[in-house]
Amino acid sequence: YMGDLLKYVLKGSGKRIRPTLVFLSAQLGPAKKESVRNLAMAVELIHLATLIHDDVIDKASLRRGVKTVVELEGADAAILLGDFIYSFAFKKLASLKDLSIVDLLAQTTHSMCEGEINQLNRRFYFDMTEEEYFTIIRKKTASLFGTSARAGGVLAGQPTPILDALENFGLNLGMAFQIQDDLLDLTAQEAEIGKTLRTDILNGKMTLPLIVYRQKNQTSRSYPAFISSLKNPNGNLGQLINEIIESGSVTQAKKVKESYIEKALKDLEKLPLGPVKDHCGNLATILCQS
């Protein structure tokens, strides 16, 4: 049974940016291929486990173009599968025999869980500030990006200044990625993205475009109607989204995303010239254009 569920979730192809960061940063030095593969596998499995648990929390029915585990088998099976994948990921990390990397990923997983708990605790908290939002996404998403880049550099034997630059690059890339994901949840189509959308509004999550829109309209006559729509958006969800887009809030959030991409590119200046630096830059640029 567990084997069938594993095959089901593993056959889906995500973006795999986190293992890509591992493979890229590990090319900066003489890292062992098997260790790099195991590390890349571990960070992607940790990410996969969080997705399975997120789908339970969000009651999502679609992920990567197919039904979610919670939709197919229920919440109990999905939670246990996520836990099983977490344990397998740390088994792979233990095989590296490098306590610094195990400690790094353990701290990051702790941070990711803390970010998710904080976001859960802030549901339907409509006065959330941008600073609170950035703190949450830094922990729940960007931290694993940063750790993936840093850990690959550790395997490659890089000095602390390079490791710090790699981690900062990953963190800023991860911030941009989460903002982009939040924008897509608001504006994209499910057939295009392949997962259940509008879960942020429906579950009371204040993402950046919503926060920007609230700030623009906090003193207007329409503000009470906006809050009322957030509390119960089902009847006029389409109208609410159109108002947010037409207000320029989505465009403003995109500019914030682009600012994080610029920071990520700035971090790369500390890396030595070569294909790793070039490929990392291309990765950031592609994200900025999406």
Side-chain angles (χ1 to χ4, degrees), residues 188-233:
Q189 301 299 316
E190 287 191 1
E192 173 189 354
I193 302 300
K195 68 176 183 179
T196 303
L197 297 177
R198 320 293 180 251
T199 58
D200 292 335
I201 287 184
L202 294 173
N203 289 301
K205 295 180 183 178
M206 286 298 286
T207 57
L208 185 58
L210 293 176
I211 294 171
V212 171
Y213 183 82
R214 186 204 69 220
Q215 291 171 339
K216 285 176 177 285
N217 294 274
Q218 203 148 357
T219 59
S220 71
R221 293 180 180 178
S222 62
Y223 182 69
F226 169 64
I227 296 300
S228 177
S229 295
L230 289 178
K231 290 179 179 178
N232 185 23

Side-chain angles (χ1 to χ4, degrees), residues 49-60 63 116 140:
T50 65
L51 294 184
I52 293 170
H53 286 167
D54 284 351
D55 288 338
V56 175
I57 295 170
D58 294 336
K59 301 177 180 62
R63 170 76 68 177
E116 289 288 357
K140 78 165 195 168

Side-chain angles (χ1 to χ4, degrees), residues 12 54-55 91 105 110 166 170-171 192-193 199 232 258 289:
D54 284 351
D55 288 338
K91 183 178 179 181
L105 266 297
H110 176 85
L166 287 168
L171 283 169
E192 173 189 354
I193 302 300
T199 58
N232 185 23
E258 290 164 2
Q289 294 172 343

Side-chain angles (χ1 to χ4, degrees), residues 72-84:
L72 282 175
E73 300 292 334
D76 292 348
I79 291 169
L80 290 172
L81 178 64
D83 291 346
F84 181 84

Side-chain angles (χ1 to χ4, degrees), residues 111-143:
S111 180
M112 292 166 68
C113 292
E114 185 179 10
E116 289 288 357
I117 291 169
N118 288 342
Q119 185 175 64
L120 183 66
N121 187 49
R122 293 295 188 274
R123 286 191 173 188
F124 301 101
Y125 178 70
F126 302 122
D127 290 333
M128 179 184 286
T129 64
E130 289 187 16
E131 290 73 21
E132 287 176 303
Y133 167 78
F134 292 140
T135 298
I136 286 172
I137 68 171
R138 181 183 178 89
K139 289 181 177 181
K140 78 165 195 168
T141 300
S143 61

Side-chain angles (χ1 to χ4, degrees), residues 272-287:
L273 294 175
V276 173
K277 185 174 183 177
D278 293 341
H279 289 318
C280 285
N282 289 337
L283 184 64
T285 302
I286 290 170
L287 180 58

Side-chain angles (χ1 to χ4, degrees), residues 88-108:
F88 189 78
F90 275 90
K91 183 178 179 181
K92 284 294 179 183
L93 289 174
S95 72
L96 300 177
K97 294 180 170 45
D98 187 327
L99 288 179
S100 67
I101 292 179
V102 175
D103 182 60
L104 184 60
L105 266 297
Q107 289 185 37
T108 301

